[in-house]
Amino acid sequence: MTNLIVEEQHDLPLVSLSVAYRVGSLVEGDGHGGLVRHAAELARRGAGGRSRAELDAAFDALGAPLEVHTSHDAVVFSTRCLTRHVDPITALLAEVSMRPDFSEAEHEALKRETLGLLDDVRDD
């Protein structure tokens, strides 16, 4: 099921786009804590045949930050851009949310980063 929600405000030539999935830590089984967050972050690091650097460059070239949020019941990919860039940004957002590459190298890098973050939390 797909829902499209449109809220118009014409004061500024900006568009905010979000793709939300009803999935989160609630669906993770025992021993799989953090799996949904990991998958969402990994999707942000390579999609549609583009590397992390290529995705970052594509979003940056359009002046559009890509944010990934995870919670206990949702994963949300969101960005905002000028209205004239809505078509290419929509295509990039679709690649990230629907065609992630799940690169092994990025997976290993993300694992190391996450373990480092957990060490920092434990130290506090």
Side-chain angles (χ1 to χ4, degrees), residues 42-62 66 87-96 99-103 106:
L42 198 55
R44 169 62 197 92
R45 293 173 177 233
R50 296 177 195 245
S51 69
R52 179 182 186 179
E54 291 168 329
L55 273 177
D56 288 345
F59 278 96
D60 288 347
L62 297 169
L66 176 61
D87 289 339
I89 286 297
T90 301
L92 285 170
L93 191 57
E95 284 183 7
V96 170
R99 296 182 48 216
D101 291 341
F102 297 126
S103 153
E106 288 294 340

Side-chain angles (χ1 to χ4, degrees), residues 22-99:
R22 290 183 184 154
V23 63
S25 58
L26 289 177
V27 301
E28 296 172 340
D30 291 339
H32 293 97
L35 182 62
V36 170
R37 178 196 169 277
H38 187 82
E41 289 292 331
L42 198 55
R44 169 62 197 92
R45 293 173 177 233
R50 296 177 195 245
S51 69
R52 179 182 186 179
E54 291 168 329
L55 273 177
D56 288 345
F59 278 96
D60 288 347
L62 297 169
L66 176 61
E67 299 172 2
V68 179
H69 301 281
T70 57
S71 69
H72 69 282
D73 63 352
V75 170
V76 181
F77 298 96
S78 61
T79 189
R80 61 192 166 283
C81 66
L82 294 172
T83 54
R84 68 177 180 255
H85 298 311
V86 72
D87 289 339
I89 286 297
T90 301
L92 285 170
L93 191 57
E95 284 183 7
V96 170
S97 64
M98 296 171 42
R99 296 182 48 216

